[in-house]
Every structure is written in structure tokens, then in C-alpha cells.
Amino acid sequence: MTFGPNSWTPVPGAFIQKVGKDVHAYKNEIGPKAVVVMVGLPARGKSYIVKKLKRYLSWLGFKTMVFNVGNRRRTCAAEAEVKTGCKQNHTSDFFNPNNEDAKSLRDQLAMDTLNEVITWLNEGGKVGILDATNSTKARRQRIIDRCSRESDINILFVESICTDPKVLARNMQLKLSGPDYRDQESESASEDFQARVANYERAYQTIEDDEDEDIQYCKIINVGKKVIAHNIQTFLAGQCVFYLMNMNLAERQIWLTRHGESLDNQVGKIGGDAPLSDAGCEYAEALAAFMAEQQRNFRCSETSTPPQLTVWTSMLRRAVETAEHFNPEEFDIKHMKFLNEIYAGICEGMTYKEIEERYPEDFKARATSKFYYRYPGMGGESYCDVIQRLCPVIVELERTRNSVLIVTHRALTRSLLAYFMDIPLRQMTNLDIPLNALYCIEAKPYGNVLIKYEYSHVTKSFSQVENDVQQI
Ligand code: F6P
């Protein structure tokens, strides 16, 4: 373990654990590993929750992976078909609790998947998410028994309960276009799926406090409307519950952009607090007009009035000036320090060339490990530090039902895009985020969609960058 050049704090990582008397004896992590075990009937939004949780925990730096029992079932069925030449029938009767053969096969698939989770955790993973219905006490007890054979693994059960007919109908539609039913005619698919859910309902047992004396669980009711937390003991479980408590399903857009060009950008200086250049002022004006138009045209599928647009900027002059043309009577405008650019310590106000000449070792160290490298000098930050200070912003973004435009900076835009698009942390530090680029993220039930726009100083307008629609 090496020490950072500027302080006593060991680098890398936001979390470290002391493991011995030696001053250098640290493990780059905190607390035990976790298995997040999903519980719930089919079409209750489990996979939606799983995807979001995976994205958040990975973004926080915890190595997280999802293990889906349904995928294992389909793979095994396909393999058995090849081997035996017989069609494997996974219609609703396969999920009948009285169908003993199928039940034992389903239990086996779940336990095999859990074993895969545990192997992965033992090989260096931090959080394994077991995505399945796990809807009976007996199944959950088997999971608890299996995990208790391992030394450093905690379980958090997350039960998703959904009674909102609109959400149920939407989840059902998603299921019908999913891998079990997409090749089937819609009426028979819908009938079979409803029979499958009815079969699960016959055996379903909600989680109860006395299932196991140590059971740690949360119940998410109607995708975050109500959350019940029980016996939350670990740091990771606390993070998960807090995050899930704040999510909502409102249809809205999240827009991200860097500030308009600043005087420092013109000469290649990093950091600082320069005002906008003339080109930057032009971008600011165009941005307000474009966003007002986008706001008017945004259509939700469920309501006729589009959500309100909130504008958040950093507290640096170039970002505040970029939002200058938004009318505060029409838009809720907030400036927050959380969104300030990565602070470059003693390198603030220098060009990259100057840094390379004056601090060649630091320049090299940053190129080698850009995510963990912390700029030397008072207040100097790393990308890892930036992620930590962005946590409250992410939770607030999940909580709010408004559309939000975030006017910020290059490192911050990278970090926010990494969260929304599940981009690995080490990869995101080099994402190309030019000035004049505007990103729109729309949350869809199956994941986020990213659309990129570009402002041209020649045509004085924004246009969508073709072939740059990404989806996760
Ligand atoms: O150059 C603009 C800028 O926003 C700097 O203020 C900041 O230090 C830098 O970009 C972040 O990008 P990178 O991490 O690639 O140096």
C-alpha cells in the first residue's frame, strides 16, 4: 500500500480497512461481502430494482454482479433440448407448487445460482445480487443456511411488493416481450403468464420477522412509495435501503452538459473560476432556448402535463453564467458546490503541459491511475473523491420527480454519465465529453436511454448526434 504524495491518507479507495499493526496494513475495502436476495412474485419490478441497485453499488466502487435464476433456467432448458432432442416445457404448470419434479428442479437452479454467487464473492466480488422470486420461507431458509457456511458474507433480503394496477400492467407487458414469451402469440402468452403468477401466489409467503433471528430485510412497496426496513445492520445494507427509499417511477428526463466555453478553456488552463468567453455566452443563450423547447415538447405516456424542469449548476462562475438565460420564475434554478469541477490542488490554473513540466511524476501517476490519483495540495481531489461528494446529488436525482438539467464540468459529467449508463469507473475517467455537447437520459422501464445533442456555432443550433443513442 502506498501513501498519497499529499497527505497521510492511503490511496486508493474511499473505504479502507485496517488489518494489522503495521501502518501500511490496510485492505482496500470496508465490511463483509453481501448477497442481496430478491423476493417477490413475477412482474413485481424485481429486475428493475436489481438493475438500479447494481448500477448504484458499482458506481460507489463495490464490485457488484447480478445472477438471474431465470436465465439459468432458460440456458439449462436449451442445453437439455440439444442433448435429449425433446422440447423442455416451461409453461405455467412448471411453476405449479404441486408439480414436485419441477419444484425440485427450480430449487436446484436457485441453489446452483447461489453457489455461483458465492464462488464469485470468494474470488473478489463484493455484492452478488440473486435475482429470483425466492418466494417461500423454505427457499429463503436454504439460502440462509448456505450463506452461513461462508465466513464473511451477509444477506439482505429485498422483497418487492406491488399493488399499483398501472405498474403491474406495465411490468406484465415487459414480461410478455421478454425471453420466455417473445416468440409466442400475445393472447396465449398473456394467459400462460397469468396462470404462472397464480401458481406462484398459491405458495407465496411474504417475509416475516421470525423467519430467522438475524434476518435483515427491506420491503419495497410500489417501487419505493413505501419502504419497510428490518434489522439493517451492515453498512452496505444501509446504503441499499437508503437508495431504494428514494427511487420513483416518474417519467422525466435528466439532461447533462458542461458549461459554455470559458476564458480558461481558450488557453487550456484547468480548474479556476473564469467567466464565459463570447462563444460560451452564445452557448448559454442557445441552451436556454433549446431546453425551453424540449420541455414544451416532452410527452409523458401517462399524464398530459410534462414534469417541471429544474436547473442545477455548480457554484463556479462559468456554470452559473451558462444558466443565466433561464427565467427563475419559470424554472427552479439551484447552484450547488457538490457539482463543482474536480479540484486540481496546486495544479489549478495550469495547462496540462505545465503540469507535465513542473510535476512530471504526478503527471505520470495520474495517467497510470486516473480514477484514484488525487491532485496534491490543499483540497486536491481524485475522481474517487468526486464520486463520494456526488452521492447526495444522485440520491436527490432519484428522489425528485422533475426533469433536471445539470450544468457542470468535464469530470463531473463523466462521473454522472457513469452512474446513469453503468460505465465502469476506470473507463469513465477518459470519456470524451466535449464542450457544446448535451446529453439527455430517459429512464425507461427496461433501463436508461442516452441521446446526445451537439451545439454548432456555425448553424447556431443543436442537433441530435445520429447513431449515438445508447441503451443499458
Ligand atoms: O479542462 C477542463 C476541465 O474541466 C478541468 O477544469 C478539469 O481539471 C479537467 O477538465 C477534468 O478532465 P481530466 O480529468 O481529463 O483532466
Side-chain angles (χ1 to χ4, degrees), residues 258 270-271 318 341-342 352 366 370 383 410 414:
R258 286 174 71 184
I270 68 166
R318 54 197 186 277
E341 180 53 305
I342 188 169
Y352 289 113
R366 187 162 200 257
K370 198 169 174 186
Y383 272 87
R410 181 154 66 182
R414 284 176 178 148

Side-chain angles (χ1 to χ4, degrees), residues 62 148 172 226 264 282 288 297 333 370 415:
F62 301 114
S148 64
M172 170 98 144
K226 177 169 166 182
D264 275 350
E282 182 187 312
N297 296 340
I333 304 167
K370 198 169 174 186
S415 305

Side-chain angles (χ1 to χ4, degrees), residues 401-463:
R401 295 170 164 265
N402 294 339
S403 286
V404 186
L405 164 68
I406 303 181
V407 181
T408 181
H409 306 266
R410 181 154 66 182
L412 273 279
T413 307
R414 284 176 178 148
S415 305
L416 290 165
L417 273 179
Y419 168 72
F420 284 110
M421 301 312 291
D422 204 10
I423 300 166
L425 295 176
R426 282 159 205 263
Q427 192 180 317
M428 71 87 168
T429 56
N430 289 313
L431 286 179
D432 183 27
I433 309 286
L435 290 167
N436 298 338
L438 174 64
Y439 303 88
C440 174
I441 297 138
E442 275 186 35
K444 303 281 180 194
Y446 47 83
N448 286 347
V449 174
L450 175 72
I451 302 163
K452 184 176 166 190
Y453 296 85
E454 232 168 32
Y455 178 72
S456 155
H457 286 288
V458 178
T459 61
K460 305 212 176 305
S461 63
F462 281 89
S463 54

Side-chain angles (χ1 to χ4, degrees), residues 359-375:
Y359 305 109
E361 275 186 24
D362 275 272
F363 192 79
K364 217 165 120 201
R366 187 162 200 257
T368 313
S369 179
K370 198 169 174 186
F371 181 73
Y372 288 120
Y373 173 84
R374 179 177 294 137
Y375 276 109

Side-chain angles (χ1 to χ4, degrees), residues 187-259:
E187 206 169 311
S188 72
S190 164
E191 252 170 43
D192 184 77
F193 184 63
Q194 287 184 35
R196 181 199 289 195
V197 175
N199 271 335
Y200 269 107
E201 277 170 334
R202 288 161 66 194
Y204 187 71
Q205 293 167 302
T206 190
I207 302 180
E208 280 170 346
D209 301 357
D210 59 3
E211 267 184 59
D212 183 275
E213 66 180 290
D214 256 351
I215 194 163
Q216 183 177 231
Y217 72 78
C218 72
K219 297 192 187 206
I220 312 290
I221 298 152
N222 290 328
V223 206
K225 259 231 157 112
K226 177 169 166 182
V227 174
I228 298 168
H230 174 82
N231 194 30
I232 300 303
Q233 294 187 19
T234 60
F235 173 78
L236 265 171
Q239 293 292 303
C240 294
V241 175
F242 181 58
Y243 176 71
L244 294 175
M245 246 171 81
N246 284 287
M247 69 179 172
N248 73 74
L249 281 179
E251 271 186 79
R252 72 233 171 88
Q253 296 174 315
I254 308 288
W255 295 82
L256 302 175
T257 183
R258 286 174 71 184
H259 52 82

Side-chain angles (χ1 to χ4, degrees), residues 82-148:
V82 172
K83 220 160 143 186
T84 61
C86 303
K87 177 113 187 82
Q88 301 294 301
N89 203 345
H90 288 181
T91 55
S92 61
D93 189 52
F94 183 77
F95 302 92
N96 184 334
N98 298 326
N99 180 344
E100 290 300 333
D101 287 349
K103 186 174 166 300
S104 92
L105 177 56
R106 285 194 291 123
D107 282 344
Q108 190 55 48
L109 290 167
M111 296 318 285
D112 288 350
T113 312
L114 178 63
N115 282 327
E116 198 190 332
V117 176
I118 290 170
T119 306
W120 179 80
L121 289 174
N122 287 333
E123 284 168 357
K126 183 73 185 170
V127 187
I129 306 182
L130 184 65
D131 187 8
T133 57
N134 301 315
S135 55
T136 62
K137 286 185 185 179
R139 164 78 70 81
R140 293 192 288 271
Q141 193 55 54
R142 285 186 74 179
I143 293 172
I144 294 171
D145 292 345
R146 174 65 189 90
C147 289
S148 64

